[in-house]
Amino acid sequence: CLSFFRDWGNINVMRKTFGTFYGYLFRHPALFLGGMVTLVIARSAENMQNFFVKWIVQAVTTNDYETAIRLVLWMGTVLLFGTFFHIISQMLGDRSAMRTLVDVNLDALKKIHELDFSYHAEKSSGRLISLTKRGEDAMFNLTEIINRELFGTLIGFGFLLYAFWGTDPKYVAITLFVLTLSAITMRPLIKYNMGKRKELTQWDDRISGMRIDNFINFDTVKYFAKEEFEQGRFLKALRSWDSAAQEYFNTFRLFDLTIGNYANLAITATILVAVWDLTSGRIDLASFVLISSFSVTVFPRLIAVLMNIRSIAKRYTDLQDLFKIFEEKSTVADAAAPLTIDSLRGEIVIDDVSFAYHSRARVFRNLSLNIRPGESVALVGLSGSGKTTLVKLLMRMYDTTLGEIRVDGVDVKNMKKSYLRSLIGIVPQDPIMFNNTIGYNIKYGKPEASEEEVWEALRASMLERFVRSLPDGLETKVGERGIKLSGGQRQRLAIARVLLEKAKIIIFDEATSSLDSESEGAIQDAFWNLAKDPTNPRTSIVIAHRLSTVMRTDRIIVLKRGTIAESGTHKKLIKQPGGLYKKLWEMQQNGFLAE
């Protein structure tokens, strides 16, 4: 097994993986060790029955029936005792395994939350879901295979060696010969099995990704009447997946044909030698029974354990893939000693910022912008000018390449990411809802909000009448990603969430693009009432293609290729001869900016 692992991968990597595996198990030491100790007692009691059979045969052959009866009663007591401890061992083992899975799943979610926006932008959701699920299954199965089946069989093997050595060392030699032959044969078989397993896993990930893509984009499929196209594409992938699966399954049949027959060889050879020794007078009938009993009970388990090494290797790969996620490094890391702001005013300073996405052209070069506390600023420009990227830098979805972004004089890199984002309320361009209730989604930014506050936010976002008309009201489920709501309703719900949160800094990223003019006007009134509250004004950033939504801002920043082309109020910019904003304003049709 070790030689196989050395050939398959670095032994230090293997040690690290299993070190992490047992590190999780030992988070609950009482459960784990209690399960192992009771397993030793249970398996020892189970293997003692072969010795009891030997002693009973010895008593019967000497006509000592009273001793034979006592031995039978003692054997029954030991077996009953063993069954009791076996049940306790199973209960402790199950509880240990489930507690471990809770820890692993929670740590996986924490890590996925911790990883950067760039990591998720590059990863397939289907592959990530498939990988974490396989890792969870591997954790559970390895716990069962290694700590119960393998360890339990080794206890039986120890009893077998003791019995065989006490009878005649040549039986130990026969046993070791068969095991060595099995190990030699197993090595190339496992390598072949793992190669086929890797191919199947790749197709599993592709199938999972295609399935989730179709689930998420089913409306797009219907818009373009591509049901048959997607089904054909999926069927083609399924056929390749089926072919890879059949090749993988056939490796198990090869195992059964070779390794599986070694148990038969071991049993036959051992009992044949025992018969020869019995007829030659070298062992008595009781020793013959002992050897035969251990042969028919332990050898099949030993071979089963050897065959389980293929499962260990498979599960090991899945577990290693999961643990690799834990090793991923976040490029947007929290500061070692994060700072906070005592009394937030909402000043934002973008100081000489340069930024480029990985392997892409530079988005910003030496960009500087000061936003005063309580000021409302609009970011305007054609697609790709850097409007949304600037917001992502402010919220540390990415870090600047050069330069600083400061909030009230504190560099955002010196704040904890979760703290920084708690200061900012955002209505994203494409609001996505949790598959939960309307009330849950609205209160997501402020769980402690009262019901009256919730209805006030719904009223301001023009959703109150709609929600009150629903049979379940605030308890109405919105479906996955908010699919049961229209685009406009999702936007209003996202706006209500920000209005309820009442953050000191507010970002509207195309927040009213799905609304009709009447709703947009009402929601803008609610937004400006919040942003320009005389008692507590908010700093606000508005991103829009629809220029009518930015007319009331204190300042409009026109971006062009990552630089500030113009800056000023709406009235000032539309009077600027040859200005970009004036040109964009004139290009508008029905309030939208033409591309």
Side-chain angles (χ1 to χ4, degrees), residues 330-340 396 399 411-417:
S330 177
T331 56
V332 183
D334 282 327
L339 303 177
T340 58
R396 287 203 73 201
D399 270 340
D411 190 338
V412 294
K413 293 180 182 178
N414 292 328
M415 298 184 196
K416 196 171 182 179
K417 288 178 288 186

Side-chain angles (χ1 to χ4, degrees), residues 550-561:
V550 304
M551 293 172 61
R552 294 164 67 176
T553 57
D554 297 324
R555 188 160 41 126
I556 298 171
I557 305 298
V558 184
L559 294 174
K560 181 179 180 181
R561 297 176 184 173

Side-chain angles (χ1 to χ4, degrees), residues 121-157:
E122 297 294 331
K123 294 293 180 182
S124 159
S125 297
R127 184 181 182 278
L128 201 57
I129 292 170
S130 178
L131 186 151
T132 52
K133 180 59 181 173
R134 284 201 307 268
E136 175 192 324
D137 292 342
M139 196 81 187
F140 184 84
N141 281 280
L142 280 177
T143 301
E144 182 70 21
I145 293 171
I146 296 177
N147 300 328
R148 302 199 64 81
E149 294 183 23
L150 178 58
F151 186 64
T153 301
L154 288 177
I155 294 171
F157 185 56

Side-chain angles (χ1 to χ4, degrees), residues 23-36:
Y24 273 105
L25 288 173
F26 273 97
R27 287 189 182 184
H28 309 283
L31 291 174
F32 177 67
L33 294 176
M36 298 300 287

Side-chain angles (χ1 to χ4, degrees), residues 112 232 259 268 372 386 397 406 431 487 501 555:
I112 288 170
I259 306 297
T268 302
R372 299 182 299 275
M397 300 298 183
R406 297 188 294 273
E501 186 182 7
R555 188 160 41 126

Side-chain angles (χ1 to χ4, degrees), residues 262-303:
Y262 285 130
N264 301 328
L265 174 64
I267 292 170
T268 302
T270 304
I271 295 180
L272 188 62
V273 172
V275 169
W276 178 51
D277 284 346
L278 179 62
T279 56
S280 302
R282 282 188 287 272
I283 61 173
D284 57 14
L285 180 61
S287 296
F288 173 78
V289 170
L290 179 67
I291 291 171
S292 299
S293 298
F294 269 113
S295 296
V296 297
T297 57
V298 177
F299 275 133
R301 282 187 177 177
L302 277 174
I303 298 302

Side-chain angles (χ1 to χ4, degrees), residues 370-470:
N370 290 358
I371 302 176
R372 299 182 299 275
E375 184 182 17
S376 59
V377 172
L379 301 179
V380 173
L382 294 172
S383 295
S385 58
K387 304 182 296 296
T388 299
T389 299
L390 194 58
V391 168
K392 288 179 179 177
L393 291 174
L394 171 61
M395 299 188 73
R396 287 203 73 201
M397 300 298 183
Y398 297 92
D399 270 340
T400 59
T401 307
L402 295 171
E404 292 183 355
I405 297 179
R406 297 188 294 273
V407 175
D408 284 1
V410 179
D411 190 338
V412 294
K413 293 180 182 178
N414 292 328
M415 298 184 196
K416 196 171 182 179
K417 288 178 288 186
S418 57
Y419 171 74
L420 168 66
R421 292 164 192 168
S422 72
L423 307 178
I424 302 171
I426 182 168
V427 181
Q429 188 171 356
D430 182 22
I432 303 298
M433 301 293 139
F434 285 94
N435 187 11
N436 209 307
T437 65
I438 289 176
Y440 176 87
N441 279 284
I442 290 177
K443 293 170 69 174
Y444 194 70
K446 189 180 179 183
E448 72 280 4
S450 67
E451 189 168 333
E452 179 54 38
E453 289 178 302
V454 171
W455 285 112
E456 182 183 344
L458 286 169
R459 199 174 300 120
S461 61
M462 298 190 70
L463 266 181
E464 181 186 19
R465 183 183 300 177
F466 166 71
V467 175
R468 290 194 185 278
S469 70
L470 299 172

